[in-house]
Amino acid sequence: GENVEQHPSTLSVQEGDSAVIKCTYSDSASNYFPWYKQELGKGPQLIIDIRSNVGEKKDQRIAVTLNKTAKHFSLHITETQPEDSAVYFCAASKIAGTYKYIFGTGTRLKVLA
Amino acid sequence: ETGVTQSPTHLIKTRGQQVTLRCSSQSGHNTVSWYQQALGQGPQFIFQYYREEENGRGNFPPRFSGLQFPNYSSELNVNALELDDSALYLCASSPIGGTNTEAFFGQGTRLTVV
């Protein structure tokens, strides 16, 4: 069935360093890939997304890359700050029919000051 | 803030009881999806409502049911609660149309079944 694997499950980086989170999806028909940040006690917040017709997208310190052939996509955070500490989820979806998201299991990012 | 509001924020129920959770979608959004997020896990799709009709369902039993109202707000009902139903229940609204697929989540309802 449809599945999204996410690695690593936890990630600690020093403030100012970069963080990379990787996801792999199983359904080759997936064509929309959002990333969410979830802080303690809150709902997931959309931080960036990418569609399958684009290989890379950047928004300030955050970037996402997509390799359709390998069915991999990654989140890159540069110049990390303590406020980047949270749980990050990747997801995969199809722009058609039911817009359900298949989520990864999450990465807990800790940025050490 | 996403403009998606859920109520209540916390709830404690006894096994076997029934519960109703509510969601108000973001202005202009006509689609509401519900997700269950167990502790330490990613959200899992329960079902989606579009124009007051169910528009897809995940792997959840029929005791999970829902409604969408003309103003696009939605309810999630769970009957015969089980201990494993304890989770954060998330509502997400989307502006379906064209190629828009962004989903914006509310803060969730934390359900504890004892």
PDB file of all heavy atoms in Angstrom, chain A residues 32 36 38 41-44 46 49 51 89 95 97-101 103-105, chain B residues 35 37 40-43 45 48 55-56 88 90 96 99-103 105-107:
ATOM      1  N   TYR A  32       2.469  15.596  -5.135  1.00  0.00           N
ATOM      2  CA  TYR A  32       2.481  16.782  -4.281  1.00  0.00           C
ATOM      3  C   TYR A  32       3.079  16.385  -2.949  1.00  0.00           C
ATOM      4  O   TYR A  32       2.667  15.384  -2.357  1.00  0.00           O
ATOM      5  CB  TYR A  32       1.070  17.334  -4.106  1.00  0.00           C
ATOM      6  CG  TYR A  32       0.987  18.496  -3.140  1.00  0.00           C
ATOM      7  CD1 TYR A  32       1.565  19.729  -3.451  1.00  0.00           C
ATOM      8  CD2 TYR A  32       0.347  18.362  -1.918  1.00  0.00           C
ATOM      9  CE1 TYR A  32       1.498  20.788  -2.573  1.00  0.00           C
ATOM     10  CE2 TYR A  32       0.278  19.418  -1.038  1.00  0.00           C
ATOM     11  CZ  TYR A  32       0.851  20.625  -1.364  1.00  0.00           C
ATOM     12  OH  TYR A  32       0.791  21.683  -0.494  1.00  0.00           O
ATOM     13  N   TYR A  36       5.572  19.668   7.018  1.00  0.00           N
ATOM     14  CA  TYR A  36       4.913  20.321   8.135  1.00  0.00           C
ATOM     15  C   TYR A  36       5.838  20.356   9.348  1.00  0.00           C
ATOM     16  O   TYR A  36       6.612  19.433   9.591  1.00  0.00           O
ATOM     17  CB  TYR A  36       3.624  19.574   8.511  1.00  0.00           C
ATOM     18  CG  TYR A  36       2.490  19.807   7.548  1.00  0.00           C
ATOM     19  CD1 TYR A  36       2.360  19.036   6.400  1.00  0.00           C
ATOM     20  CD2 TYR A  36       1.547  20.801   7.788  1.00  0.00           C
ATOM     21  CE1 TYR A  36       1.319  19.262   5.513  1.00  0.00           C
ATOM     22  CE2 TYR A  36       0.506  21.031   6.910  1.00  0.00           C
ATOM     23  CZ  TYR A  36       0.402  20.255   5.773  1.00  0.00           C
ATOM     24  OH  TYR A  36      -0.625  20.488   4.888  1.00  0.00           O
ATOM     25  N   GLN A  38       5.598  20.707  13.501  1.00  0.00           N
ATOM     26  CA  GLN A  38       4.647  20.603  14.599  1.00  0.00           C
ATOM     27  C   GLN A  38       5.342  20.881  15.919  1.00  0.00           C
ATOM     28  O   GLN A  38       6.242  20.137  16.317  1.00  0.00           O
ATOM     29  CB  GLN A  38       3.980  19.219  14.628  1.00  0.00           C
ATOM     30  CG  GLN A  38       2.850  19.129  15.640  1.00  0.00           C
ATOM     31  CD  GLN A  38       2.073  17.826  15.540  1.00  0.00           C
ATOM     32  OE1 GLN A  38       2.593  16.798  15.116  1.00  0.00           O
ATOM     33  NE2 GLN A  38       0.804  17.845  15.929  1.00  0.00           N
ATOM     34  N   GLY A  41       2.029  20.575  21.457  1.00  0.00           N
ATOM     35  CA  GLY A  41       0.681  21.026  21.774  1.00  0.00           C
ATOM     36  C   GLY A  41      -0.028  21.765  20.658  1.00  0.00           C
ATOM     37  O   GLY A  41      -1.109  22.321  20.868  1.00  0.00           O
ATOM     38  N   LYS A  42       0.576  21.762  19.464  1.00  0.00           N
ATOM     39  CA  LYS A  42      -0.039  22.480  18.346  1.00  0.00           C
ATOM     40  C   LYS A  42      -0.274  21.544  17.164  1.00  0.00           C
ATOM     41  O   LYS A  42       0.271  20.450  17.100  1.00  0.00           O
ATOM     42  CB  LYS A  42       0.856  23.643  17.918  1.00  0.00           C
ATOM     43  CG  LYS A  42       1.034  24.704  18.988  1.00  0.00           C
ATOM     44  CD  LYS A  42       1.813  25.892  18.449  1.00  0.00           C
ATOM     45  CE  LYS A  42       1.946  26.981  19.497  1.00  0.00           C
ATOM     46  NZ  LYS A  42       2.705  28.155  18.982  1.00  0.00           N
ATOM     47  N   GLY A  43      -1.087  22.015  16.227  1.00  0.00           N
ATOM     48  CA  GLY A  43      -1.296  21.254  15.009  1.00  0.00           C
ATOM     49  C   GLY A  43      -0.140  21.467  14.042  1.00  0.00           C
ATOM     50  O   GLY A  43       0.646  22.398  14.181  1.00  0.00           O
ATOM     51  N   PRO A  44      -0.008  20.603  13.041  1.00  0.00           N
ATOM     52  CA  PRO A  44       1.061  20.763  12.055  1.00  0.00           C
ATOM     53  C   PRO A  44       0.898  22.057  11.253  1.00  0.00           C
ATOM     54  O   PRO A  44      -0.221  22.424  10.887  1.00  0.00           O
ATOM     55  CB  PRO A  44       0.879  19.538  11.145  1.00  0.00           C
ATOM     56  CG  PRO A  44       0.089  18.563  11.952  1.00  0.00           C
ATOM     57  CD  PRO A  44      -0.799  19.391  12.821  1.00  0.00           C
ATOM     58  N   LEU A  46       2.150  24.058   7.809  1.00  0.00           N
ATOM     59  CA  LEU A  46       2.788  23.917   6.500  1.00  0.00           C
ATOM     60  C   LEU A  46       3.954  24.898   6.386  1.00  0.00           C
ATOM     61  O   LEU A  46       3.795  26.091   6.610  1.00  0.00           O
ATOM     62  CB  LEU A  46       1.772  24.200   5.396  1.00  0.00           C
ATOM     63  CG  LEU A  46       2.268  24.129   3.959  1.00  0.00           C
ATOM     64  CD1 LEU A  46       2.638  22.694   3.583  1.00  0.00           C
ATOM     65  CD2 LEU A  46       1.207  24.663   2.996  1.00  0.00           C
ATOM     66  N   ASP A  49       6.255  23.297   0.329  1.00  0.00           N
ATOM     67  CA  ASP A  49       5.743  22.164  -0.433  1.00  0.00           C
ATOM     68  C   ASP A  49       6.376  22.169  -1.820  1.00  0.00           C
ATOM     69  O   ASP A  49       6.966  23.165  -2.254  1.00  0.00           O
ATOM     70  CB  ASP A  49       4.212  22.190  -0.529  1.00  0.00           C
ATOM     71  CG  ASP A  49       3.672  23.483  -1.138  1.00  0.00           C
ATOM     72  OD1 ASP A  49       4.451  24.296  -1.695  1.00  0.00           O
ATOM     73  OD2 ASP A  49       2.452  23.712  -1.042  1.00  0.00           O
ATOM     74  N   ARG A  51       5.807  20.374  -5.954  1.00  0.00           N
ATOM     75  CA  ARG A  51       5.025  19.552  -6.877  1.00  0.00           C
ATOM     76  C   ARG A  51       5.975  18.783  -7.778  1.00  0.00           C
ATOM     77  O   ARG A  51       7.130  19.174  -7.959  1.00  0.00           O
ATOM     78  CB  ARG A  51       4.076  20.436  -7.680  1.00  0.00           C
ATOM     79  CG  ARG A  51       3.097  21.178  -6.790  1.00  0.00           C
ATOM     80  CD  ARG A  51       2.202  22.151  -7.554  1.00  0.00           C
ATOM     81  NE  ARG A  51       1.509  23.053  -6.622  1.00  0.00           N
ATOM     82  CZ  ARG A  51       0.374  22.756  -6.017  1.00  0.00           C
ATOM     83  NH1 ARG A  51      -0.214  21.598  -6.253  1.00  0.00           N
ATOM     84  NH2 ARG A  51      -0.178  23.616  -5.178  1.00  0.00           N
ATOM     85  N   PHE A  89       7.302  16.711   9.723  1.00  0.00           N
ATOM     86  CA  PHE A  89       6.660  15.609   9.001  1.00  0.00           C
ATOM     87  C   PHE A  89       6.697  15.880   7.511  1.00  0.00           C
ATOM     88  O   PHE A  89       6.372  16.983   7.063  1.00  0.00           O
ATOM     89  CB  PHE A  89       5.198  15.461   9.418  1.00  0.00           C
ATOM     90  CG  PHE A  89       5.003  14.956  10.819  1.00  0.00           C
ATOM     91  CD1 PHE A  89       4.768  15.836  11.859  1.00  0.00           C
ATOM     92  CD2 PHE A  89       5.049  13.596  11.098  1.00  0.00           C
ATOM     93  CE1 PHE A  89       4.585  15.383  13.155  1.00  0.00           C
ATOM     94  CE2 PHE A  89       4.871  13.128  12.390  1.00  0.00           C
ATOM     95  CZ  PHE A  89       4.637  14.024  13.417  1.00  0.00           C
ATOM     96  N   ILE A  95      -2.590  15.149  -6.711  1.00  0.00           N
ATOM     97  CA  ILE A  95      -3.459  16.269  -7.049  1.00  0.00           C
ATOM     98  C   ILE A  95      -4.595  15.742  -7.918  1.00  0.00           C
ATOM     99  O   ILE A  95      -4.677  15.958  -9.099  1.00  0.00           O
ATOM    100  CB  ILE A  95      -2.684  17.383  -7.770  1.00  0.00           C
ATOM    101  CG1 ILE A  95      -1.478  17.808  -6.943  1.00  0.00           C
ATOM    102  CG2 ILE A  95      -3.593  18.573  -8.034  1.00  0.00           C
ATOM    103  CD1 ILE A  95      -0.626  18.866  -7.589  1.00  0.00           C
ATOM    104  N   GLY A  97      -8.717  13.494  -7.244  1.00  0.00           N
ATOM    105  CA  GLY A  97      -9.515  12.633  -6.373  1.00  0.00           C
ATOM    106  C   GLY A  97      -9.492  13.091  -4.936  1.00  0.00           C
ATOM    107  O   GLY A  97      -9.620  14.276  -4.642  1.00  0.00           O
ATOM    108  N   THR A  98      -9.313  12.178  -4.048  1.00  0.00           N
ATOM    109  CA  THR A  98      -9.247  12.496  -2.621  1.00  0.00           C
ATOM    110  C   THR A  98      -7.869  13.031  -2.292  1.00  0.00           C
ATOM    111  O   THR A  98      -6.870  12.381  -2.538  1.00  0.00           O
ATOM    112  CB  THR A  98      -9.515  11.244  -1.768  1.00  0.00           C
ATOM    113  OG1 THR A  98     -10.796  10.740  -2.094  1.00  0.00           O
ATOM    114  CG2 THR A  98      -9.452  11.576  -0.299  1.00  0.00           C
ATOM    115  N   TYR A  99      -7.829  14.215  -1.750  1.00  0.00           N
ATOM    116  CA  TYR A  99      -6.538  14.835  -1.470  1.00  0.00           C
ATOM    117  C   TYR A  99      -6.005  14.368  -0.133  1.00  0.00           C
ATOM    118  O   TYR A  99      -5.697  15.166   0.740  1.00  0.00           O
ATOM    119  CB  TYR A  99      -6.687  16.354  -1.471  1.00  0.00           C
ATOM    120  CG  TYR A  99      -7.002  16.927  -2.836  1.00  0.00           C
ATOM    121  CD1 TYR A  99      -8.207  16.660  -3.455  1.00  0.00           C
ATOM    122  CD2 TYR A  99      -6.090  17.727  -3.488  1.00  0.00           C
ATOM    123  CE1 TYR A  99      -8.489  17.182  -4.697  1.00  0.00           C
ATOM    124  CE2 TYR A  99      -6.371  18.265  -4.726  1.00  0.00           C
ATOM    125  CZ  TYR A  99      -7.581  17.979  -5.338  1.00  0.00           C
ATOM    126  OH  TYR A  99      -7.861  18.494  -6.553  1.00  0.00           O
ATOM    127  N   LYS A 100      -5.912  13.050   0.058  1.00  0.00           N
ATOM    128  CA  LYS A 100      -5.426  12.578   1.342  1.00  0.00           C
ATOM    129  C   LYS A 100      -3.908  12.609   1.349  1.00  0.00           C
ATOM    130  O   LYS A 100      -3.252  12.364   0.334  1.00  0.00           O
ATOM    131  CB  LYS A 100      -5.935  11.171   1.622  1.00  0.00           C
ATOM    132  CG  LYS A 100      -5.348  10.087   0.745  1.00  0.00           C
ATOM    133  CD  LYS A 100      -5.834   8.717   1.222  1.00  0.00           C
ATOM    134  CE  LYS A 100      -5.218   7.610   0.394  1.00  0.00           C
ATOM    135  NZ  LYS A 100      -5.667   6.272   0.866  1.00  0.00           N
ATOM    136  N   TYR A 101      -3.378  12.900   2.526  1.00  0.00           N
ATOM    137  CA  TYR A 101      -1.939  12.931   2.702  1.00  0.00           C
ATOM    138  C   TYR A 101      -1.496  11.643   3.391  1.00  0.00           C
ATOM    139  O   TYR A 101      -2.132  11.206   4.357  1.00  0.00           O
ATOM    140  CB  TYR A 101      -1.520  14.107   3.581  1.00  0.00           C
ATOM    141  CG  TYR A 101      -1.668  15.478   2.964  1.00  0.00           C
ATOM    142  CD1 TYR A 101      -2.183  15.654   1.693  1.00  0.00           C
ATOM    143  CD2 TYR A 101      -1.274  16.602   3.665  1.00  0.00           C
ATOM    144  CE1 TYR A 101      -2.310  16.914   1.142  1.00  0.00           C
ATOM    145  CE2 TYR A 101      -1.386  17.869   3.128  1.00  0.00           C
ATOM    146  CZ  TYR A 101      -1.908  18.021   1.869  1.00  0.00           C
ATOM    147  OH  TYR A 101      -2.023  19.267   1.330  1.00  0.00           O
ATOM    148  N   PHE A 103       1.488  10.541   5.604  1.00  0.00           N
ATOM    149  CA  PHE A 103       2.550  11.198   6.362  1.00  0.00           C
ATOM    150  C   PHE A 103       3.670  10.229   6.712  1.00  0.00           C
ATOM    151  O   PHE A 103       3.439   9.028   6.901  1.00  0.00           O
ATOM    152  CB  PHE A 103       1.994  11.765   7.665  1.00  0.00           C
ATOM    153  CG  PHE A 103       1.276  13.075   7.518  1.00  0.00           C
ATOM    154  CD1 PHE A 103      -0.072  13.103   7.218  1.00  0.00           C
ATOM    155  CD2 PHE A 103       1.954  14.276   7.675  1.00  0.00           C
ATOM    156  CE1 PHE A 103      -0.743  14.310   7.076  1.00  0.00           C
ATOM    157  CE2 PHE A 103       1.292  15.482   7.541  1.00  0.00           C
ATOM    158  CZ  PHE A 103      -0.057  15.500   7.238  1.00  0.00           C
ATOM    159  N   GLY A 104       4.865  10.772   6.825  1.00  0.00           N
ATOM    160  CA  GLY A 104       5.967  10.031   7.416  1.00  0.00           C
ATOM    161  C   GLY A 104       5.800   9.988   8.927  1.00  0.00           C
ATOM    162  O   GLY A 104       4.868  10.575   9.486  1.00  0.00           O
ATOM    163  N   THR A 105       6.732   9.324   9.596  1.00  0.00           N
ATOM    164  CA  THR A 105       6.620   9.122  11.041  1.00  0.00           C
ATOM    165  C   THR A 105       7.215  10.262  11.853  1.00  0.00           C
ATOM    166  O   THR A 105       7.131  10.249  13.075  1.00  0.00           O
ATOM    167  CB  THR A 105       7.304   7.813  11.445  1.00  0.00           C
ATOM    168  OG1 THR A 105       8.616   7.786  10.866  1.00  0.00           O
ATOM    169  CG2 THR A 105       6.506   6.611  10.964  1.00  0.00           C
TER     170      THR A 105
ATOM    171  N   TYR B  35      -7.800  13.677  10.560  1.00  0.00           N
ATOM    172  CA  TYR B  35      -6.659  12.792  10.768  1.00  0.00           C
ATOM    173  C   TYR B  35      -6.580  12.405  12.245  1.00  0.00           C
ATOM    174  O   TYR B  35      -6.934  13.187  13.123  1.00  0.00           O
ATOM    175  CB  TYR B  35      -5.349  13.489  10.381  1.00  0.00           C
ATOM    176  CG  TYR B  35      -5.171  13.694   8.893  1.00  0.00           C
ATOM    177  CD1 TYR B  35      -5.796  14.743   8.225  1.00  0.00           C
ATOM    178  CD2 TYR B  35      -4.373  12.819   8.154  1.00  0.00           C
ATOM    179  CE1 TYR B  35      -5.629  14.922   6.852  1.00  0.00           C
ATOM    180  CE2 TYR B  35      -4.198  12.992   6.785  1.00  0.00           C
ATOM    181  CZ  TYR B  35      -4.830  14.045   6.142  1.00  0.00           C
ATOM    182  OH  TYR B  35      -4.664  14.211   4.790  1.00  0.00           O
ATOM    183  N   GLN B  37      -3.773  11.280  15.076  1.00  0.00           N
ATOM    184  CA  GLN B  37      -2.340  11.248  15.327  1.00  0.00           C
ATOM    185  C   GLN B  37      -2.077  10.619  16.694  1.00  0.00           C
ATOM    186  O   GLN B  37      -2.305  11.243  17.738  1.00  0.00           O
ATOM    187  CB  GLN B  37      -1.732  12.654  15.268  1.00  0.00           C
ATOM    188  CG  GLN B  37      -0.213  12.645  15.396  1.00  0.00           C
ATOM    189  CD  GLN B  37       0.409  14.023  15.254  1.00  0.00           C
ATOM    190  OE1 GLN B  37      -0.241  15.046  15.456  1.00  0.00           O
ATOM    191  NE2 GLN B  37       1.683  14.057  14.883  1.00  0.00           N
ATOM    192  N   GLY B  40       3.636  10.157  19.128  1.00  0.00           N
ATOM    193  CA  GLY B  40       4.894   9.803  18.490  1.00  0.00           C
ATOM    194  C   GLY B  40       4.772   9.332  17.064  1.00  0.00           C
ATOM    195  O   GLY B  40       5.755   8.834  16.484  1.00  0.00           O
ATOM    196  N   GLN B  41       3.607   9.483  16.460  1.00  0.00           N
ATOM    197  CA  GLN B  41       3.375   9.023  15.087  1.00  0.00           C
ATOM    198  C   GLN B  41       2.960  10.181  14.187  1.00  0.00           C
ATOM    199  O   GLN B  41       2.599  11.258  14.673  1.00  0.00           O
ATOM    200  CB  GLN B  41       2.281   7.954  15.068  1.00  0.00           C
ATOM    201  CG  GLN B  41       2.603   6.714  15.878  1.00  0.00           C
ATOM    202  CD  GLN B  41       3.787   5.948  15.340  1.00  0.00           C
ATOM    203  OE1 GLN B  41       3.907   5.752  14.122  1.00  0.00           O
ATOM    204  NE2 GLN B  41       4.675   5.528  16.222  1.00  0.00           N
ATOM    205  N   GLY B  42       2.989   9.924  12.890  1.00  0.00           N
ATOM    206  CA  GLY B  42       2.468  10.891  11.950  1.00  0.00           C
ATOM    207  C   GLY B  42       0.944  10.793  11.880  1.00  0.00           C
ATOM    208  O   GLY B  42       0.368   9.757  12.221  1.00  0.00           O
ATOM    209  N   PRO B  43       0.300  11.840  11.426  1.00  0.00           N
ATOM    210  CA  PRO B  43      -1.166  11.799  11.284  1.00  0.00           C
ATOM    211  C   PRO B  43      -1.602  10.735  10.280  1.00  0.00           C
ATOM    212  O   PRO B  43      -0.932  10.524   9.264  1.00  0.00           O
ATOM    213  CB  PRO B  43      -1.513  13.205  10.775  1.00  0.00           C
ATOM    214  CG  PRO B  43      -0.356  14.064  11.195  1.00  0.00           C
ATOM    215  CD  PRO B  43       0.841  13.181  11.107  1.00  0.00           C
ATOM    216  N   PHE B  45      -4.882   9.460   7.880  1.00  0.00           N
ATOM    217  CA  PHE B  45      -6.107   9.954   7.249  1.00  0.00           C
ATOM    218  C   PHE B  45      -7.304   9.123   7.673  1.00  0.00           C
ATOM    219  O   PHE B  45      -7.301   7.900   7.545  1.00  0.00           O
ATOM    220  CB  PHE B  45      -5.927   9.892   5.730  1.00  0.00           C
ATOM    221  CG  PHE B  45      -7.118  10.317   4.922  1.00  0.00           C
ATOM    222  CD1 PHE B  45      -7.451  11.655   4.798  1.00  0.00           C
ATOM    223  CD2 PHE B  45      -7.886   9.376   4.266  1.00  0.00           C
ATOM    224  CE1 PHE B  45      -8.533  12.051   4.021  1.00  0.00           C
ATOM    225  CE2 PHE B  45      -8.967   9.750   3.483  1.00  0.00           C
ATOM    226  CZ  PHE B  45      -9.294  11.082   3.369  1.00  0.00           C
ATOM    227  N   GLN B  48     -12.459  12.448   4.388  1.00  0.00           N
ATOM    228  CA  GLN B  48     -12.520  13.815   3.880  1.00  0.00           C
ATOM    229  C   GLN B  48     -13.954  14.121   3.461  1.00  0.00           C
ATOM    230  O   GLN B  48     -14.672  13.251   2.945  1.00  0.00           O
ATOM    231  CB  GLN B  48     -11.597  13.959   2.672  1.00  0.00           C
ATOM    232  CG  GLN B  48     -11.554  15.360   2.071  1.00  0.00           C
ATOM    233  CD  GLN B  48     -10.657  15.388   0.856  1.00  0.00           C
ATOM    234  OE1 GLN B  48     -11.087  15.171  -0.267  1.00  0.00           O
ATOM    235  NE2 GLN B  48      -9.377  15.659   1.089  1.00  0.00           N
ATOM    236  N   ASN B  55     -15.717  12.153   0.738  1.00  0.00           N
ATOM    237  CA  ASN B  55     -14.933  12.131  -0.499  1.00  0.00           C
ATOM    238  C   ASN B  55     -13.645  11.346  -0.278  1.00  0.00           C
ATOM    239  O   ASN B  55     -12.568  11.831  -0.529  1.00  0.00           O
ATOM    240  CB  ASN B  55     -14.626  13.564  -0.933  1.00  0.00           C
ATOM    241  CG  ASN B  55     -13.845  13.631  -2.228  1.00  0.00           C
ATOM    242  OD1 ASN B  55     -14.128  12.892  -3.167  1.00  0.00           O
ATOM    243  ND2 ASN B  55     -12.838  14.485  -2.284  1.00  0.00           N
ATOM    244  N   GLY B  56     -13.781  10.142   0.231  1.00  0.00           N
ATOM    245  CA  GLY B  56     -12.606   9.317   0.474  1.00  0.00           C
ATOM    246  C   GLY B  56     -12.492   8.982   1.939  1.00  0.00           C
ATOM    247  O   GLY B  56     -12.821   9.786   2.821  1.00  0.00           O
ATOM    248  N   LEU B  88      -4.507  12.471  19.252  1.00  0.00           N
ATOM    249  CA  LEU B  88      -4.800  13.850  18.853  1.00  0.00           C
ATOM    250  C   LEU B  88      -5.564  13.780  17.538  1.00  0.00           C
ATOM    251  O   LEU B  88      -5.101  13.159  16.577  1.00  0.00           O
ATOM    252  CB  LEU B  88      -3.502  14.633  18.674  1.00  0.00           C
ATOM    253  CG  LEU B  88      -3.637  16.103  18.279  1.00  0.00           C
ATOM    254  CD1 LEU B  88      -4.244  16.919  19.431  1.00  0.00           C
ATOM    255  CD2 LEU B  88      -2.267  16.682  17.888  1.00  0.00           C
ATOM    256  N   LEU B  90      -6.962  15.690  14.364  1.00  0.00           N
ATOM    257  CA  LEU B  90      -6.662  16.904  13.618  1.00  0.00           C
ATOM    258  C   LEU B  90      -7.642  17.094  12.476  1.00  0.00           C
ATOM    259  O   LEU B  90      -7.991  16.141  11.773  1.00  0.00           O
ATOM    260  CB  LEU B  90      -5.242  16.839  13.048  1.00  0.00           C
ATOM    261  CG  LEU B  90      -4.109  16.792  14.073  1.00  0.00           C
ATOM    262  CD1 LEU B  90      -2.822  16.308  13.413  1.00  0.00           C
ATOM    263  CD2 LEU B  90      -3.894  18.175  14.682  1.00  0.00           C
ATOM    264  N   ILE B  96     -10.103  23.128  -2.305  1.00  0.00           N
ATOM    265  CA  ILE B  96     -10.071  22.297  -3.511  1.00  0.00           C
ATOM    266  C   ILE B  96     -10.584  23.072  -4.709  1.00  0.00           C
ATOM    267  O   ILE B  96     -11.589  23.754  -4.656  1.00  0.00           O
ATOM    268  CB  ILE B  96     -10.902  21.007  -3.316  1.00  0.00           C
ATOM    269  CG1 ILE B  96     -10.048  19.978  -2.576  1.00  0.00           C
ATOM    270  CG2 ILE B  96     -11.346  20.441  -4.656  1.00  0.00           C
ATOM    271  CD1 ILE B  96     -10.590  18.577  -2.609  1.00  0.00           C
ATOM    272  N   THR B  99      -5.458  23.336  -9.044  1.00  0.00           N
ATOM    273  CA  THR B  99      -4.391  22.465  -8.558  1.00  0.00           C
ATOM    274  C   THR B  99      -4.055  22.769  -7.113  1.00  0.00           C
ATOM    275  O   THR B  99      -3.014  22.362  -6.622  1.00  0.00           O
ATOM    276  CB  THR B  99      -3.120  22.627  -9.417  1.00  0.00           C
ATOM    277  OG1 THR B  99      -2.722  24.001  -9.386  1.00  0.00           O
ATOM    278  CG2 THR B  99      -3.384  22.193 -10.849  1.00  0.00           C
ATOM    279  N   ASN B 100      -4.940  23.476  -6.430  1.00  0.00           N
ATOM    280  CA  ASN B 100      -4.668  23.767  -5.023  1.00  0.00           C
ATOM    281  C   ASN B 100      -4.832  22.522  -4.199  1.00  0.00           C
ATOM    282  O   ASN B 100      -5.865  21.848  -4.271  1.00  0.00           O
ATOM    283  CB  ASN B 100      -5.620  24.839  -4.509  1.00  0.00           C
ATOM    284  CG  ASN B 100      -5.210  26.213  -4.969  1.00  0.00           C
ATOM    285  OD1 ASN B 100      -4.037  26.470  -5.194  1.00  0.00           O
ATOM    286  ND2 ASN B 100      -6.171  27.096  -5.119  1.00  0.00           N
ATOM    287  N   THR B 101      -3.836  22.185  -3.404  1.00  0.00           N
ATOM    288  CA  THR B 101      -3.964  21.034  -2.533  1.00  0.00           C
ATOM    289  C   THR B 101      -3.478  21.323  -1.125  1.00  0.00           C
ATOM    290  O   THR B 101      -3.477  20.437  -0.294  1.00  0.00           O
ATOM    291  CB  THR B 101      -3.124  19.857  -3.061  1.00  0.00           C
ATOM    292  OG1 THR B 101      -1.769  20.277  -3.158  1.00  0.00           O
ATOM    293  CG2 THR B 101      -3.624  19.397  -4.413  1.00  0.00           C
ATOM    294  N   GLU B 102      -3.076  22.558  -0.860  1.00  0.00           N
ATOM    295  CA  GLU B 102      -2.553  22.851   0.469  1.00  0.00           C
ATOM    296  C   GLU B 102      -3.613  22.561   1.521  1.00  0.00           C
ATOM    297  O   GLU B 102      -4.777  22.908   1.362  1.00  0.00           O
ATOM    298  CB  GLU B 102      -2.125  24.327   0.577  1.00  0.00           C
ATOM    299  CG  GLU B 102      -0.961  24.716  -0.303  1.00  0.00           C
ATOM    300  CD  GLU B 102      -1.396  25.210  -1.671  1.00  0.00           C
ATOM    301  OE1 GLU B 102      -2.573  24.992  -2.040  1.00  0.00           O
ATOM    302  OE2 GLU B 102      -0.571  25.794  -2.370  1.00  0.00           O
ATOM    303  N   ALA B 103      -3.198  21.915   2.592  1.00  0.00           N
ATOM    304  CA  ALA B 103      -4.088  21.637   3.712  1.00  0.00           C
ATOM    305  C   ALA B 103      -3.573  22.358   4.931  1.00  0.00           C
ATOM    306  O   ALA B 103      -2.379  22.289   5.247  1.00  0.00           O
ATOM    307  CB  ALA B 103      -4.154  20.133   3.973  1.00  0.00           C
ATOM    308  N   PHE B 105      -3.981  22.886   9.010  1.00  0.00           N
ATOM    309  CA  PHE B 105      -4.459  22.143  10.158  1.00  0.00           C
ATOM    310  C   PHE B 105      -4.864  23.039  11.316  1.00  0.00           C
ATOM    311  O   PHE B 105      -4.273  24.107  11.535  1.00  0.00           O
ATOM    312  CB  PHE B 105      -3.370  21.181  10.645  1.00  0.00           C
ATOM    313  CG  PHE B 105      -3.201  19.958   9.793  1.00  0.00           C
ATOM    314  CD1 PHE B 105      -2.411  20.004   8.654  1.00  0.00           C
ATOM    315  CD2 PHE B 105      -3.845  18.772  10.117  1.00  0.00           C
ATOM    316  CE1 PHE B 105      -2.261  18.874   7.846  1.00  0.00           C
ATOM    317  CE2 PHE B 105      -3.694  17.647   9.323  1.00  0.00           C
ATOM    318  CZ  PHE B 105      -2.906  17.697   8.191  1.00  0.00           C
ATOM    319  N   GLY B 106      -5.845  22.561  12.064  1.00  0.00           N
ATOM    320  CA  GLY B 106      -6.178  23.179  13.333  1.00  0.00           C
ATOM    321  C   GLY B 106      -5.236  22.692  14.414  1.00  0.00           C
ATOM    322  O   GLY B 106      -4.310  21.900  14.158  1.00  0.00           O
ATOM    323  N   GLN B 107      -5.481  23.129  15.639  1.00  0.00           N
ATOM    324  CA  GLN B 107      -4.584  22.787  16.747  1.00  0.00           C
ATOM    325  C   GLN B 107      -4.865  21.389  17.303  1.00  0.00           C
ATOM    326  O   GLN B 107      -4.069  20.864  18.064  1.00  0.00           O
ATOM    327  CB  GLN B 107      -4.692  23.844  17.862  1.00  0.00           C
ATOM    328  CG  GLN B 107      -5.855  23.654  18.823  1.00  0.00           C
ATOM    329  CD  GLN B 107      -7.192  24.101  18.262  1.00  0.00           C
ATOM    330  OE1 GLN B 107      -7.319  24.459  17.083  1.00  0.00           O
ATOM    331  NE2 GLN B 107      -8.207  24.116  19.104  1.00  0.00           N
TER     332      GLN B 107
END
